[in-house]
Amino acid sequence: MERKFNKQPKLHVKSGDTVEVIAGNSKGKRGKIVEVLVKKNRVVVEGVNMIKKHIKPNAQNPQGEIKELEGSIHISNVLVVDPSTGKPSRIGRKLNDAGNLQRFSKASGKFI
């Protein structure tokens, strides 16, 4: 009996996808995914869930500063925007003509 550990789950989003937030304070906003945090099941979306980070004074920046950065949001709170229709859609996987698994939009049925 062989066990497989540390296998990363397949996620419905990739970095670079345009997504729409469907829940939370940023509901309705759209943006590109900057980073996918696989182990935490979270994504960082451009311009969504902005947080303020206080930076301590140091040699390069003796005054210190307050930066505004994107915070992460849970992966279940985003839907991929279908490029053909421009609307958010759930994602599935099926074999394409070459015999490889490829993501497709469940709303339109077209490959992404």
Side-chain angles (χ1 to χ4, degrees):
M1 197 162 63
E2 196 173 315
R3 292 185 180 174
K4 293 184 181 181
F5 290 106
N6 297 335
K7 187 169 181 180
Q8 293 180 344
K10 290 277 186 184
L11 303 175
H12 68 283
V13 292
K14 294 182 185 177
S15 53
D17 283 348
T18 303
V19 294
E20 183 170 320
V21 180
I22 58 169
N25 291 342
S26 303
K27 183 176 180 176
K29 288 187 181 177
R30 289 185 181 198
K32 270 195 179 197
I33 292 184
V34 179
E35 184 180 4
V36 179
L37 307 169
V38 178
K39 289 186 177 181
K40 293 183 176 181
N41 276 341
R42 297 178 81 79
V43 291
V44 177
V45 182
E46 199 174 79
V48 174
N49 193 25
M50 299 303 285
I51 58 172
K52 292 183 189 281
K53 181 170 177 128
H54 296 258
I55 309 296
K56 286 173 77 172
N58 56 29
Q60 291 89 15
N61 189 3
Q63 191 65 29
E65 64 178 306
I66 300 174
K67 282 189 175 178
E68 205 163 334
L69 305 168
E70 291 102 354
S72 66
I73 57 177
H74 198 268
I75 205 161
S76 66
N77 293 335
V78 296
L79 276 180
V80 176
V81 175
D82 185 1
S84 60
T85 62
K87 294 182 179 179
S89 170
R90 294 185 346 175
I91 298 296
R93 285 182 190 79
K94 64 181 172 183
L95 295 173
N96 60 9
D97 298 335
N100 300 325
L101 272 181
Q102 190 175 355
R103 298 184 306 159
F104 74 99
S105 164
K106 289 197 174 186
S108 66
K110 295 181 181 173
F111 288 112
I112 293 177

